[in-house]
C-alpha cells in the first residue's frame, strides 16, 4: 500500500512537471520505484530537478521486518519521468540509519543527508552528507 502511494506521488509530480512545460497532461501512470522487498519503506520523500525535466529522486528509510532489527537509508533515481528507476545509494553502515532527506540541484546533482547510529545513544549518531 505504501509503495503504491509513493508511486502515485512520483507519477503525479512527473505529470505536473510535464504540464508546466506546456505539454498535454495525460492520465496518471504507476511505475515501480523499487523491486519487491521484504523490508518496509518509511519516511519517504521525493525531489524534482529544477532544470532537468523528468529527473526525480525518491529517498527514505527501510526497516528490516525480521531479526536483526535494523534500518537503512536509500535513494532511487529516474531520468525519464519515472519509467525506469535505479537504486543510487544505500546507507547501511550502522545498525540504525534515520532522518534521511534528499534534494536535486542544478545539473541533476543529487544531495542526501542521513543520520547513522547504533539506535541506543544519541551521542553515537552522526549526521552524514552525500552528493553526486
Amino acid at each position: 500500500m505504501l509503495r503504491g502511494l509513493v508511486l502515485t506521488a512520483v507519477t503525479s509530480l512527473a505529470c505536473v512537471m510535464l504540464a508546466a512545460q506546456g505539454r498535454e497532461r495525460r492520465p496518471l501512470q504507476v511505475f515501480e520505484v523499487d523491486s519487491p522487498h521484504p523490508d518496509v519503506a518509511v519516511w519517504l520523500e521525493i525531489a524534482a530537478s529544477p532544470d532537468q525535466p523528468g529527473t526525480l529522486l525518491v529517498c527514505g528509510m527501510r526497516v528490516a521486518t525480521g531479526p536483526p532489527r535494523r534500518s537503512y537509508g536509500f535513494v532511487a533515481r529516474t531520468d525519464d519521468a519515472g519509467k525506469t528507476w535505479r537504486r543510487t545509494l544505500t546507507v547501511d553502515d550502522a545498525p540504525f540509519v534515520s532522518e534521511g532527506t534528499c534534494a536535486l540541484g542544478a545539473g541533476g546533482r543529487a544531495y542526501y543527508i542521513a543520520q547513522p547510529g547504533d539506535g541506543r545513544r544519541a551521542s553515537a549518531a552522526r549526521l552524514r552528507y552525500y552528493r553526486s
Side-chain angles (χ1 to χ4, degrees):
M1 176 69 174
L2 184 57
R3 184 166 26 141
L5 292 174
V6 172
L7 298 175
T8 302
V10 170
T11 307
S12 298
L13 183 57
C15 288
V16 169
M17 289 170 51
L18 292 174
Q21 296 173 347
R23 296 183 186 170
E24 182 179 323
R25 186 171 179 176
R26 292 178 247 157
L28 295 179
Q29 298 175 339
V30 176
F31 300 103
E32 292 289 329
V33 173
D34 205 4
S35 59
H37 206 285
D39 298 341
V40 178
V42 296
W43 294 93
L44 298 166
E45 291 191 17
I46 186 166
S49 173
D51 62 352
Q52 293 184 347
T55 298
L56 305 167
L57 289 182
V58 169
C59 65
M61 181 175 79
R62 283 205 177 270
V63 178
T65 56
R69 192 83 172 157
R70 298 179 51 94
S71 67
Y72 55 93
F74 73 93
V75 178
R77 179 182 180 122
T78 180
D79 291 306
D80 58 10
K83 292 179 186 142
T84 58
W85 289 86
R86 65 188 181 285
R87 177 81 62 98
T88 57
L89 178 67
T90 299
V91 179
D92 60 357
D93 57 345
F96 291 92
V97 178
S98 65
E99 314 310 321
T101 189
C102 56
L104 273 167
R109 177 163 274 186
Y111 302 90
Y112 180 68
I113 295 176
Q115 189 171 14
D118 66 9
R120 293 185 301 267
R121 298 170 293 130
S123 62
R126 299 289 183 254
L127 191 60
R128 292 191 183 155
Y129 164 73
Y130 306 82
R131 75 167 188 216
S132 62

